[in-house]
Amino acid sequence: LNGLFTAVNPGPVVLGAILLLFAGVGSAVIWVKELVKSEERANQAEAVSNRVKYDPKIFTQYLLEQRKVDVTPFEKEISIGNPEASIRLVMASNLFCTPCKAMHEKLNKLLQVWQDKLHISFRFLPAKKKQEEGADPREVLLSYWLNQIYGTESASEKTQLLIRDWFERESIDAFMKKYATDLEHSDELRELTTLHDGWIKEAEITKTPTLFLNGFEFPQQYSVEDLIMMVPGLTDYFQREIELSGNSIKKNMGEIV
């Protein structure tokens, strides 16, 4: 190997470049370490914040501050989930409302996770499109539900599919190709739509979707997705409060039992 390598005495420019290189690498390493530490601190802070946010006592504190409406179930309530669940959601919906479609999808996903712990009811506003004058999609949907789904086995799953299929089509003609129904206004259908209209007016629904949990309007500080994390704790919390407080919790929470 003798003679293959020649010692070189680097000049000041080369030495400066080497020093700058090492300084740059060192600074980058320090910056990455600080970035990792900062991210860890942020994750820890978020975890602490979420533990506080998802605490059932904190959520119910916000919930009880919201306006309260009467959500007594109708005799024939279009709903999904477990009728005996202590967590009861009521959604005011419009069948031509894009945010309502998104909310229905979120509720379906929520129910997939906690099917036995939730009961979700729907109250529909009357809605028409100009090109479909004379036909109320709410009546089309409720008519099919009354005649083909209400009181049958797996009514919850069939109702989910019925509403999902409506929002996929958003057209009465397209919907009725799959769900043909008699549009004659039976007394039963007229009574049910009258109940929906009366509740919408009494609850002063001015926008859709509007969501209520156990009779209280859903707090703006939370989203439906947050419920995925809170359902077990809320169920235990509500049941415990009922046992400890007896009638007092019934007075405050109204529709919880």
Side-chain angles (χ1 to χ4, degrees):
L1 298 178
N2 188 28
L4 290 178
F5 299 98
T6 303
V8 176
N9 184 19
V13 175
V14 176
L15 286 174
I18 293 172
L19 290 174
L20 286 175
L21 176 62
F22 276 101
V25 172
S27 298
V29 171
I30 294 173
W31 177 77
V32 170
K33 286 183 177 180
E34 288 300 320
L35 185 63
V36 171
K37 290 180 181 179
S38 177
E39 186 174 354
E40 289 177 351
R41 288 193 295 267
N43 290 336
Q44 291 173 358
E46 183 179 4
V48 172
S49 175
N50 285 339
R51 281 198 297 271
V52 174
K53 180 179 181 180
Y54 297 148
D55 187 318
K57 293 182 180 179
I58 302 297
F59 175 79
T60 52
Q61 180 179 344
Y62 282 113
L63 182 68
L64 292 171
E65 292 174 353
Q66 311 307 309
R67 71 184 182 100
K68 188 177 185 299
V69 301
D70 182 6
V71 290
T72 302
F74 299 156
E75 181 181 352
K76 296 177 180 178
E77 183 86 87
I78 181 167
S79 60
I80 56 179
N82 177 12
E84 304 301 323
S86 61
I87 300 178
R88 308 181 69 84
L89 294 162
V90 175
M91 175 184 171
S93 179
N94 185 316
L95 291 173
F96 287 127
C97 162
T98 300
C100 294
K101 175 181 179 180
M103 181 62 77
H104 278 285
E105 292 174 353
K106 292 176 183 178
L107 292 175
N108 285 336
K109 291 178 181 178
L110 179 65
L111 196 63
Q112 288 176 3
V113 180
W114 302 113
Q115 187 169 3
D116 295 333
K117 296 183 181 295
L118 293 172
H119 183 259
I120 306 171
S121 302
F122 305 105
R123 310 282 173 89
F124 293 109
L125 281 73
K128 294 180 181 180
K129 279 191 173 181
K130 292 181 179 180
Q131 64 269 30
E132 294 177 317
E133 290 184 1
D136 185 338
R138 178 185 62 170
E139 294 178 358
V140 173
L141 186 142
L142 289 176
S143 176
Y144 185 92
W145 178 80
L146 281 170
N147 295 324
Q148 305 295 332
I149 295 178
Y150 174 69
T152 64
E153 188 177 353
S154 303
S156 175
E157 292 79 2
K158 293 175 182 177
T159 301
Q160 276 185 282
L161 181 61
L162 179 73
I163 297 174
R164 183 186 301 120
D165 281 351
W166 164 260
F167 279 108
E168 286 182 356
R169 291 164 174 79
E170 292 188 349
S171 164
I172 294 176
D173 293 337
F175 180 78
M176 289 187 66
K177 286 182 180 179
K178 181 175 181 179
Y179 297 100
T181 185
D182 185 359
L183 287 180
E184 291 186 4
H185 290 192
S186 66
D187 291 339
E188 190 177 34
L189 177 60
R190 188 178 298 108
E191 289 174 4
L192 185 55
T193 54
T194 299
L195 285 174
H196 281 246
D197 289 339
W199 182 83
I200 295 297
K201 182 178 180 180
E202 182 180 348
E204 298 180 349
I205 303 300
T206 57
K207 61 182 176 64
T208 55
T210 300
L211 191 66
F212 298 90
L213 193 156
N214 290 353
F216 293 87
E217 190 165 352
F218 201 81
Q220 294 183 352
Q221 295 88 342
Y222 290 83
S223 67
V224 170
E225 291 87 345
D226 290 329
L227 280 177
I228 292 179
M229 302 294 295
M230 295 191 295
V231 164
L234 285 174
T235 300
D236 295 341
Y237 177 79
F238 290 155
Q239 291 176 346
R240 183 169 60 252
E241 288 297 307
I242 291 171
E243 294 172 359
L244 293 176
S245 304
N247 291 331
S248 64
I249 190 67
K250 295 180 183 180
K251 179 179 179 181
N252 289 331
M253 293 301 294
E255 296 302 323
I256 238 179
V257 290

